[in-house]
Amino acid sequence: MHRDLAARLISPEVMARLVELADIDPELVVDDFTTPEGAAALAEAEVIVSSWGCPPLTPAVLDAAPRLRAVLHAAGSVKHHVTDACWDRGLGITSAAWANALPVAEFTVAAVLFANKRVLRLAADYRGRRAPHDWQAAYAGAGNYRRTVGLVGASRIGRRVLELLAPYDFELLLHDPYLTPDQAAALGAESVTMDELCSRSEVLSVHAPELPETRHLLDARRIALMPDGATLINTSRGSLIDQDALTAELLTGRIDAVLDVTVPETLPVDSPLYDLPNVLLTPHVAGSLGGELPRMAAAAVDELARYAAGLPFAHPVTREEIERTA
């Protein structure tokens, strides 16, 4: 992991538990397995506790780690460092993706509620007027009562969003090619096609994984299907949306957007998305941030305790699952 990440990720209480469970040097953080200290650690390691920035576990790396049995990831996706060699070796893999999903879902729900309340436009309007106004007349269509909210993907995050939205007076729609209508209904949503989701959703939130088949899932045609005044939320991956098409639509002011992810991750300084009044742009922070980071480390240490006790992981990652997840 990145060398400065450990101090942010692992609280003193979690570190104390980690030291109690394992023979570990709490000062050792490796971000390069080819250094002398990295090679020495690999030679003895039975378990790797990884996080963002972990180098890929290539065949050469695994050859240098003859005792390695498990990788416990104190973050979300393991795609960046878990390779086919890990599965071929039979390593146990676990991830704190479930823990990282919680703040993303909370961010999404906040965005949904603010979108229906027309907060972006109201705030800009109020800033410009700086005077009394008939807000009820101007925003007669605003509010969260009986609105239609659509989700793309019944991922961990998507499912949690549905749970959190359940108490509200929303009509919930869901598009997920791996779910039957009955399974969607069990999650509290109506299963619809992607085109229907776009055309009916007043707020549309993206929670599908980044796969070849999901690139530009929301293209110009589907973005054009969204109702006037709708809001598009993306906390997944920027590649799922045709960003040029979305930018063109946003420039007209016809729809709004809440974008936590873009292509590239940091937009050029001249991107219009920074300044559009109908766009809320954040720098990929919907996931664990600040005080939320230690929850992922605690999740990894819980898995270490299960491993030490000879128990199966509570949140294992399988080779089949990784092909369909972010």
Side-chain angles (χ1 to χ4, degrees), residues 37-311:
E37 65 174 359
L42 274 180
E44 299 297 324
E46 182 179 350
V47 174
I48 288 176
V49 178
S50 62
S51 191
W52 295 300
C54 179
L57 299 171
T58 62
V61 170
L62 296 186
D63 286 344
R67 300 182 59 203
L68 188 63
R69 297 292 177 269
V71 179
L72 317 181
H73 193 50
S77 176
V78 301
K79 282 186 174 181
H80 304 292
H81 65 295
V82 171
T83 66
D84 286 342
C86 296
W87 307 115
D88 295 341
R89 172 86 163 260
L91 298 183
I93 310 292
T94 181
S95 167
W98 68 268
N100 196 45
L102 301 181
V104 181
E106 293 162 358
F107 181 102
T108 301
V109 170
V112 168
L113 297 176
F114 265 30
N116 281 326
K117 203 76 172 182
R118 315 299 288 163
V119 166
L120 273 178
R121 292 176 185 261
L122 266 165
D125 197 353
Y126 187 31
R127 186 187 309 115
R129 293 178 186 276
R130 306 183 187 220
H133 184 61
D134 188 347
W135 302 107
Q136 289 288 353
Y139 294 88
N144 280 292
Y145 181 56
R146 294 188 175 178
R147 307 312 292 264
T148 301
V149 178
L151 272 64
V152 182
S155 60
R156 286 187 187 90
I157 297 168
R159 289 168 188 253
R160 181 58 178 161
V161 170
L162 288 172
E163 289 176 8
L164 294 175
L165 291 179
Y168 296 91
D169 289 304
F170 289 143
E171 179 183 14
L172 299 175
L173 308 178
L174 175 65
H175 173 75
D176 190 310
Y178 297 102
L179 257 60
T180 67
D182 286 346
Q183 289 171 324
L187 295 173
E190 177 188 349
S191 177
V192 296
T193 65
M194 190 64 201
D195 283 4
E196 188 176 357
L197 188 82
C198 292
S199 63
R200 289 176 57 187
S201 298
E202 293 164 288
V203 177
L204 193 160
S205 189
V206 182
H207 302 287
E210 184 177 44
L211 302 170
E213 57 267 34
T214 60
R215 184 180 185 275
H216 289 187
L217 184 65
L218 282 153
D219 56 11
R221 184 184 67 80
R222 283 178 169 154
I223 293 169
L225 292 175
M226 296 178 65
D228 291 352
T231 299
L232 176 59
I233 301 170
N234 191 10
T235 58
S236 179
R237 293 291 186 270
S239 67
L240 274 68
I241 298 175
D242 181 338
Q243 192 165 286
D244 290 340
L246 176 61
T247 301
E249 196 76 68
L250 290 168
L251 283 166
T252 70
R254 191 182 73 82
I255 62 173
D256 296 351
V258 177
L259 303 175
D260 188 53
V261 287
T262 54
V263 179
E265 180 98 330
T266 300
L267 291 171
V269 294
D270 60 350
S271 170
L273 295 178
Y274 283 116
D275 299 312
L276 285 176
N278 54 328
V279 176
L280 176 60
L281 188 66
T282 52
H284 202 167
V285 293
S288 298
L289 179 70
E292 295 161 335
L293 291 170
R295 176 166 44 196
M296 294 190 296
V301 174
D302 285 344
E303 295 286 47
L304 179 60
R306 296 181 68 86
Y307 174 85
L311 298 172

